[in-house]
Amino acid sequence: MGKKYRAVLAGCGGMAQAWVDAAKQVPEMEWVGCVDIRREAAVAFTEKCGISPESAGTDLKTLIKRTSPDFVVDVSIPAAHKPITLAALSQGCHVLGEKPLSDSIPNARKMVAAAKKARRMYMVSQNYRWNPQVRAIRKAVAEGLIGEVTTVNVDFYLGVHFGGFREQMEHPLVLDMSIHHFDLVRCTTQSDPRFVYCLEFNPKGSWYKGDVATTTVFEMSQGLVFTYRGSWCAEGPQTSWNGQWRIIGTQGTILWDGNSPPQAHVLIPKGEFVNPCEVRELAPVDEGPAGQHGSIVRFLEALRTGRKPETDCVDNIKSLGMVFGAVKSASTRKRLKIGA
């Protein structure tokens, strides 16, 4: 075994357990500290991390000086991402953070600039990317199996009774969930956002305070148009959490229900009124672990090799720009240029 990478867990709330469980599968990583604004929460997680309660704290900079970690895992709420990331970078630590990168584009820009200045890595965990079926779609598109992609349609419909803050927040779907789908479109098509028009609404019968349903259209690079329809208050048949996908190219279409293996319908040009297609199931492409485990493995690989990870902050801010571009468009009812 090579170098052991030392990590501090920042944020000891509900999501922290998933990261602790994932880290147990990565022998080259070890926890050396836990920090939270609630000391009792930090102490509780030191036990889960298998370290001394003395390794708990409420101030990140102080804890970093005491424990000398290589990196910080930021599992805090979005509003805390900026102060935690800036504190970690200022102490010479790399950062692996939960999505979203930040709670605003101005804050995100400051965080990206700070990572560049500190010459440290800041990777955002977009864990949906590591799904082997997503990697299969990405590979098929890159290899031109369906020609040049022109259109992506994603439908996401769930009737989810969370309770708590999500049912009280503004823009609950777009702010809290849709970045996964927006980022997956960028991942699978290797395109970036240019313009957005977003209509948000709160359907009758909704148990959410904020607008929880949307129809959003993105104009992407390479002339691609991405249409996103979604709701978290759609009772009845449910899509998967990955959504239901139709990716249309000049030589066919890829369909994916978010759970089953994707299917490519590859054009057989015969000059007919409606040309036939050959249906090919896309075999999963296993490029390593999925979920938070996958994010940790890819982050450590980037630290070892010095190569920027796929979801480095410099790239990931483009996915965040889609979220806040959509929110601004919904508020103004205008088609807007995205300038992340």
Side-chain angles (χ1 to χ4, degrees):
M1 185 184 299
K3 171 182 168 63
K4 273 267 190 178
Y5 289 90
R6 299 161 59 85
V8 163
L9 178 68
C12 298
M15 279 298 297
Q17 186 63 56
W19 285 93
V20 172
D21 291 342
K24 291 176 182 176
Q25 304 175 71
V26 186
E28 60 266 43
M29 173 182 171
E30 62 178 338
W31 298 110
V32 296
C34 298
V35 65
D36 195 278
I37 57 173
R38 301 162 298 145
R39 182 172 179 81
E40 65 276 13
V43 170
F45 263 88
T46 59
E47 181 178 356
K48 295 177 181 180
C49 293
I51 57 179
S52 165
E54 298 300 316
S55 301
T58 57
D59 181 77
L60 180 58
K61 286 186 178 181
T62 301
L63 190 63
I64 288 174
K65 290 174 181 177
R66 275 197 359 236
T67 59
S68 302
D70 296 295
F71 67 99
V72 170
V73 178
D74 179 9
V75 197
S76 65
I77 62 173
H81 287 350
K82 178 189 170 187
I84 286 175
T85 297
L86 295 186
L89 293 170
S90 73
Q91 299 302 304
C93 293
H94 304 282
V95 180
L96 172 58
E98 262 288 355
K99 65 83 189 170
L101 192 159
S102 187
D103 60 345
S104 74
I105 289 296
N107 282 345
R109 290 191 181 118
K110 292 175 183 176
M111 295 159 71
V112 171
K116 289 180 179 178
K117 183 178 180 180
R119 297 184 179 180
R120 290 295 181 266
M121 192 174 296
Y122 175 28
M123 172 180 154
V124 181
S125 174
Q126 294 284 173
N127 56 292
Y128 278 39
R129 281 191 177 221
W130 319 135
N131 183 322
Q133 295 174 1
V134 170
R135 308 311 284 187
I137 295 172
R138 177 185 169 104
K139 180 174 183 286
V141 169
E143 292 177 348
L145 182 61
I146 58 169
E148 184 178 351
V149 174
T150 64
T151 311
V152 178
N153 296 331
V154 177
D155 284 346
F156 175 73
Y157 290 105
L158 293 174
V160 192
H161 297 261
F162 288 108
F165 74 93
R166 288 182 179 87
E167 293 186 9
Q168 300 301 315
M169 66 186 289
E170 292 186 282
H171 321 285
L173 178 70
V174 171
L175 280 183
D176 195 58
M177 180 66 203
S178 298
I179 190 168
H180 282 300
H181 305 123
F182 297 171
D183 183 70
L184 285 184
V185 170
R186 291 190 58 240
C187 170
T188 53
T189 65
Q190 296 296 285
S191 61
D192 290 326
R194 295 291 182 259
F195 295 91
V196 59
Y197 176 76
C198 176
L199 172 66
E200 279 190 314
F201 56 102
N202 205 17
K204 289 182 179 179
S206 169
W207 50 96
Y208 291 81
K209 182 178 179 180
D211 290 340
V212 73
T214 185
T215 296
T216 304
V217 179
F218 289 98
E219 297 166 62
M220 309 288 286
S221 58
Q222 306 161 40
L224 188 155
V225 175
F226 162 39
T227 300
Y228 180 76
R229 303 187 302 180
S231 174
W232 254 347
C233 70
E235 301 284 28
Q238 310 282 281
T239 66
S240 75
W241 282 89
N242 290 313
Q244 190 169 37
W245 290 60
R246 179 181 290 262
I247 303 172
I248 304 170
T250 54
Q251 299 297 316
T253 291
I254 294 173
L255 299 179
W256 184 42
D257 65 7
N259 285 324
S260 308
Q263 288 188 334
H265 296 246
V266 182
L267 177 68
I268 303 174
K270 289 191 173 180
E272 298 180 1
F273 184 65
V274 176
N275 285 314
C277 289
E278 175 191 354
V279 181
R280 304 182 194 176
E281 185 174 289
L282 301 181
V285 175
D286 186 355
E287 295 181 352
Q292 283 83 6
H293 182 195
S295 291
I296 293 172
V297 167
R298 288 164 177 83
F299 181 71
L300 295 186
E301 180 183 7
L303 291 185
R304 282 193 298 270
T305 63
R307 292 194 297 267
K308 282 189 177 182
E310 190 174 303
T311 57
D312 180 80
C313 62
V314 173
D315 180 81
N316 189 254
I317 196 173
K318 298 174 185 177
S319 296
L320 188 71
M322 296 176 77
V323 172
F324 285 105
V327 167
K328 187 174 181 180
S329 172
S331 301
T332 60
R333 295 295 179 97
K334 293 181 179 179
R335 172 182 174 267
L336 299 177
K337 185 174 181 179
I338 297 176

